[in-house]
């Protein structure tokens, strides 16, 4: 019979966990758990402990113990999510919460000369990108639009999309994961395409070693990415979005599980790296001009563009003023330092918040002042376009279609339609980094000016593929309650990120409710790629999917605004 809370006292549970992973890696003090229990943009709550296993076997044994003891488990990697899906949500859980941080569980195993890889839970996209570069290949996603430093498994678990047009949401049918049964027992499920021992400890130890023979690797034809997306996104007359998190076609065990499974490894496809690309920078004051260009780019060539990132002028301005240090940091230090800095910032925020004499968000204020001392990060030609044009598009294509795209731009965007230029390699890099900095700029802006602005509403929206009126025009009853608006997104996929900094005293919940009603009328879906977390409500189909994965509601309960109670009992019970 499984151990339950009465039979395993809290102190005894912590003693056993320390024996498994080591005392330094069982964190219980609030100041020690703070970097893990507060989300990058949203979500926070207390936990009984944060566990940081070093091996897959430690992870299994500690998780098995917590399941047997009737604890809630939340699994987290880099904690870069935007909707609170990998942190606790308040203090109203009906059982103690144990949070597992998997950043120490790093490992990459190349298969087939690098055509596929097996990634362990703590593997970041940055690390995978670095390893694959040596083999002339790259992962499904490269530097993310808003989750710089994110993990590979986090992308799979959330069906994250990213900026690359040809690849669609992160997806695989090959994974090794733990599932908690309705009887409260943790079982290991091996759909990784690797022959492993039936004993979980032996299987996990063997996999982590990486010493796999050719006979142990199976090539079954299971998918390692969404192969149909290239055709799907080209259908510009479809009355549905190209990609969104509640699309049932992209749920498969670990893919889209949102923390309702304990994933130990995933096997994913990799792609030939584009070594010689061209970035075009396009500015216009006409939304119809950009929409005509989007339709042309998706249908005119045998090959799709690599990426097409949109930025509105106001987002450009806020990102320049409040994201300059982010751009500089990535340019000079790389994305690998970002998760560590996030953790350090969370710890410092928690430490300084205890003082009655220091201003709120002290770290943001310090970083902002230091950032203003840095040299300008935006190329001169981009700054000139900011003065001239409201709408900006950064388009990356391969050299194979660069000349054709250049010819089309020369005829389609000229005179009153707008302007464009072919970027140098340095301009192209900085253009995309500036666009990526926009995601955190709204948070910095709000934190620095918290005394004169209100809450943030952050929406992640998938527009219909045939929606020609893609640019949002808010009614005055909503617009009058907003201080600053940031629009940016993955334009060719019609995925938009929309951040609204409200005026003081305005209710984020009320404003968001009215905005979602408008999006419903437009046939948009949400969220597009950041998953539901604790911000968005799951539909019945997705709730059914979560119940199938986690019948006892032991893993990440409350996700999608569902019940947090054991066995999916209604909140009123």
């Amino acid at each position: 019979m499984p151990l339950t809370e009465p039979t395993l006292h809290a102190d005894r549970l912590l003693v056993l966990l320390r024996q498994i992973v080591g005392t330094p890696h069982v964190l219980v003090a609030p100041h020690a758990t703070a970097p893990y229990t507060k989300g990058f943009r949203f979500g926070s709550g207390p936990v009984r402990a944060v566990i940081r296993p070093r091996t897959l076997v430690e992870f299994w044994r500690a998780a098995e113990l917590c399941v047997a003891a009737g604890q809630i488990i939340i699994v987290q990697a880099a904690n870069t999510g935007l909707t609170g899906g990998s942190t606790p949500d308040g203090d109203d859980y009906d059982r103690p919460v144990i949070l597992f941080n998997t950043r120490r569980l790093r490992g990459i195993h190349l298969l087939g000369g690098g055509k596929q890889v097996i990634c362990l839970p703590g593997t970041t996209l940055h690390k995978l990108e670095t390893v694959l570069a040596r083999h002339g290949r790259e992962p499904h996603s490269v530097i993310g639009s808003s989750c710089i430093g994110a993990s590979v498994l986090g992308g799979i678990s959330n069906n994250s999309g990213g900026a690359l047009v040809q690849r669609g949401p992160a997806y695989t049918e090959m994974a090794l994961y733990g599932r908690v049964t309705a009887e409260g027992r943790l079982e290991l499920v091996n759909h990784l395409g690797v022959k492993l021992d039936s004993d979980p400890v032996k299987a996990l130890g063997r996999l982590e070693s990486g010493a796999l023979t050719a006979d142990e690797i199976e090539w079954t034809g299971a998918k390692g990415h969404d192969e149909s997306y290239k055709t799907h996104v080209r259908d510009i007359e479809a009355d549905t979005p190209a990609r969104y998190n509640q699309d049932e076609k992209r749920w498969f065990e670990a893919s889209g599980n949102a923390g309702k499974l304990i994933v130990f490894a995933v096997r994913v496809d990799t792609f030939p790296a584009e070594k010689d690309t061209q970035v075009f920078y396009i500015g216009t004051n006409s939304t119809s001009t950009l929409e005509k260009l989007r339709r042309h780019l998706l249908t005119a060539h045998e090959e799709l563009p690599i990426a097409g990132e949109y930025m509105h002028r106001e987002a450009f301005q806020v990102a320049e003023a409040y994201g300059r240090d982010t751009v500089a940091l990535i340019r000079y230090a790389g994305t690998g330092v970002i998760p560590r800095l996030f953790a350090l910032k969370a710890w410092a925020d928690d430490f300084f918040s205890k003082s009655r004499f220091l201003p709120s968000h002290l770290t943001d204020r310090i970083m902002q002042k230091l950032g203003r001392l840095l040299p300008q990060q935006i190329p001169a030609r981009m700054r000139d376009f900011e003065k001239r044009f409201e709408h900006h598009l950064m388009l990356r294509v391969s050299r194979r279609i660069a000349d054709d795209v250049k010819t089309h731009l020369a005829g389609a965007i000229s005179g009153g339609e707008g302007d464009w230029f072919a970027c140098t390699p340095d301009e192209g890099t900085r253009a995309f980094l500036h666009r990526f900095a926009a995601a955190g700029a709204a948070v910095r802006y709000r934190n620095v000016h918290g005394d004169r602005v209100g809450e943030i509403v952050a929406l992640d929206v998938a527009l219909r593929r045939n929606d020609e009126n893609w640019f949002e025009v808010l009614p005055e009853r909503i617009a009058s309650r907003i201080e600053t608006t940031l629009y940016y997104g993955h334009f060719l996929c019609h995925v938009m990120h929309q951040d609204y900094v409200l005026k003081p005293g305005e209710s984020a919940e009320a404003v968001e409710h009215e905005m979602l009603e408008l999006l419903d009328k437009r046939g948009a879906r949400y969220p597009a790629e950041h998953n539901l977390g604790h911000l968005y409500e799951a539909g019945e189909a997705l709730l059914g999917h979560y119940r199938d994965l986690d019948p006892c509601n032991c893993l990440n309960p409350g996700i999608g605004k569902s019940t947090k109670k054991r066995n999916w009992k209604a909140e009123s019970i």
Side-chain angles (χ1 to χ4, degrees):
M1 184 180 73
L3 294 171
T4 60
E5 186 65 20
T7 61
L8 185 59
H9 190 273
D11 292 340
R12 178 60 178 163
L13 173 62
L14 294 179
V15 168
L16 294 175
L17 289 171
R18 290 185 181 108
Q19 290 175 356
I20 294 172
V21 303
T23 298
H25 302 293
V26 178
L27 311 179
V28 294
H31 72 274
T33 61
Y36 307 93
T37 58
K38 182 175 176 59
F40 171 58
R41 180 182 286 179
F42 175 85
S44 64
V47 297
R48 170 168 284 180
V50 171
I51 312 300
R52 302 188 303 178
R54 179 63 184 87
T55 68
L56 293 181
V57 172
E58 288 182 2
F59 190 11
W60 168 266
R61 285 175 168 160
E64 188 177 38
L65 181 63
C66 290
V67 169
Q71 312 290 284
I72 286 171
I73 292 177
I74 297 175
V75 180
Q76 167 196 100
N79 192 19
T80 56
L82 302 182
T83 59
S86 59
T87 56
D89 177 51
D91 58 0
D92 58 341
Y93 294 91
D94 63 347
R95 292 150 287 167
V97 176
I98 304 290
L99 189 151
F100 281 79
N101 182 274
T102 62
R103 280 183 56 198
R104 300 175 73 219
L105 297 171
R106 299 168 184 167
I108 298 170
H109 305 320
L110 301 181
L111 305 178
K115 293 182 180 180
Q116 288 187 340
V117 292
I118 293 174
C119 294
L120 303 190
T123 302
T124 64
L125 285 171
H126 174 265
K127 180 62 176 178
L128 180 57
E129 186 179 356
T130 301
V131 170
L132 290 177
R134 304 178 196 134
H135 301 267
R137 302 188 70 83
E138 62 185 19
H140 166 274
S141 298
V142 290
I143 182 172
S145 66
S146 51
C147 297
I148 297 168
S151 68
V152 176
L153 265 69
I156 293 294
S157 296
N158 294 319
N159 283 145
S160 299
L164 300 182
V165 180
Q166 303 170 12
R167 299 175 191 173
Y171 178 83
T172 188
E173 296 172 356
M174 297 172 283
L176 178 69
Y177 60 88
R179 179 180 180 272
V180 181
T181 67
E183 295 74 34
R185 181 176 60 85
L186 183 63
E187 62 178 13
L188 187 67
V189 179
N190 179 16
H191 291 164
L192 194 62
V194 178
K195 297 176 183 177
L196 296 171
D197 197 286
S198 59
D199 176 75
V201 171
K202 293 180 180 178
L204 292 167
R206 176 68 174 165
L207 176 65
E208 189 161 26
S209 74
L212 303 173
T213 67
D215 291 340
E216 291 174 305
I217 307 300
E218 300 173 318
W219 298 91
T220 62
K223 293 179 180 179
H225 81 284
D226 182 3
E227 299 171 347
S228 67
Y229 188 75
K230 285 193 287 189
T231 302
H232 182 73
V233 74
R234 285 183 186 270
D235 188 358
I236 58 175
E237 299 303 333
D239 199 37
T240 57
R243 53 182 167 93
Y244 55 98
N245 285 135
Q246 299 203 56
D247 186 350
E248 298 180 45
K249 295 189 294 293
R250 298 184 177 95
W251 304 336
F252 190 92
E253 298 177 351
S255 297
N257 79 88
K260 304 303 287 183
L261 298 172
I262 299 176
V263 184
F264 294 96
V266 295
R267 179 174 168 180
V268 295
D269 291 338
T270 71
F271 306 86
E274 291 286 355
K275 295 295 185 182
D276 191 15
T277 65
Q278 177 63 60
V279 174
F280 296 100
Y281 198 93
I282 300 143
T284 180
N285 291 314
S286 167
T287 57
S288 64
T289 295
L290 281 191
E291 179 58 21
K292 291 174 185 175
L293 177 60
R294 185 185 78 90
R295 288 170 167 261
H296 172 84
L297 292 168
L298 290 175
T299 58
H301 307 288
E302 184 176 341
E303 178 181 311
L304 285 169
I306 297 168
E309 293 296 291
Y310 168 78
M311 211 173 181
H312 184 259
R313 174 187 279 154
E314 194 167 5
F316 184 112
Q317 294 168 342
V318 174
E320 194 287 319
Y322 298 90
R324 181 183 297 188
D325 55 319
T326 299
V327 174
L329 183 66
I330 297 172
R331 282 185 67 202
Y332 299 122
T335 59
V337 302
I338 300 296
R340 291 191 293 273
L341 289 180
F342 283 165
L344 178 61
K345 182 180 181 300
W347 176 87
D349 285 337
D350 180 71
F351 178 79
F352 292 133
S353 67
K354 297 178 173 63
S355 173
R356 295 177 297 169
F357 307 103
L358 295 175
S360 60
H361 304 293
L362 181 62
T363 58
D364 282 293
R365 296 173 188 270
I366 293 173
M367 292 167 66
Q368 181 61 22
K369 289 185 180 297
L370 293 175
R372 301 312 297 171
L373 299 176
L374 294 170
Q376 177 61 254
Q377 298 296 308
I378 302 175
R381 290 199 283 183
M382 286 174 57
R383 298 200 303 273
D384 175 65
F385 268 42
E386 183 271 321
K387 297 185 181 81
R388 297 166 56 194
F389 302 116
E390 182 179 1
H391 307 285
H392 299 242
L393 181 67
M394 288 135 275
L395 179 66
R396 186 184 298 277
V397 300
S398 73
R399 285 290 175 184
R400 293 180 293 276
I401 64 171
D403 288 342
D404 290 340
V405 171
K406 185 175 182 178
T407 300
H408 179 76
L409 290 175
I413 302 180
S414 59
E417 294 295 327
D419 201 355
W420 62 277
F421 62 87
C423 295
T424 66
D426 180 63
E427 285 176 325
T429 297
R430 288 205 264 174
F432 274 88
L433 285 178
H434 179 58
R435 151 66 185 90
F436 297 145
V443 176
R444 171 74 64 77
Y445 174 84
R446 191 257 176 240
N447 289 346
V448 171
H449 301 292
D451 56 338
R452 62 178 179 83
V453 300
E455 300 177 89
I456 290 180
V457 173
L459 300 182
D460 172 30
V461 181
L463 303 176
R464 292 179 290 112
R465 282 169 281 173
N466 66 353
D467 191 347
E468 297 189 37
N469 298 314
W470 55 272
F471 187 71
E472 180 178 69
V473 179
L474 292 171
E476 180 59 24
R477 72 176 190 277
I478 297 179
S480 63
R481 298 148 73 181
I482 298 172
E483 178 75 23
T484 301
T485 302
L486 285 77
Y487 294 117
Y488 52 96
H490 313 310
F491 187 64
L492 299 185
C493 299
H494 256 192
V495 167
M496 297 297 292
H497 303 306
Q498 303 175 178
D499 296 341
Y500 312 87
V501 183
L502 304 182
K503 293 181 178 179
E506 296 291 345
S507 166
E509 183 177 0
V511 172
E512 179 177 351
H513 179 75
E514 292 187 48
M515 287 180 171
L516 295 183
E517 286 184 348
L518 295 175
L519 290 171
D520 289 339
K521 292 177 181 178
R522 294 175 60 189
R525 299 296 296 268
Y526 45 84
E529 60 181 6
H530 292 162
N531 220 317
L532 285 77
H534 294 282
L535 282 178
Y536 297 94
E537 186 173 349
E540 281 303 315
L542 186 54
L543 285 176
H545 176 60
Y546 289 163
R547 293 188 190 102
D548 288 342
L549 295 179
D550 178 23
C552 73
N553 203 21
C554 303
L555 305 175
N556 212 9
I559 207 78
K561 295 190 174 182
S562 60
T563 178
K564 295 177 180 177
K565 292 187 178 295
R566 191 195 305 263
N567 298 325
W568 298 92
K569 292 182 179 178
E571 291 292 347
S572 59
I573 296 177

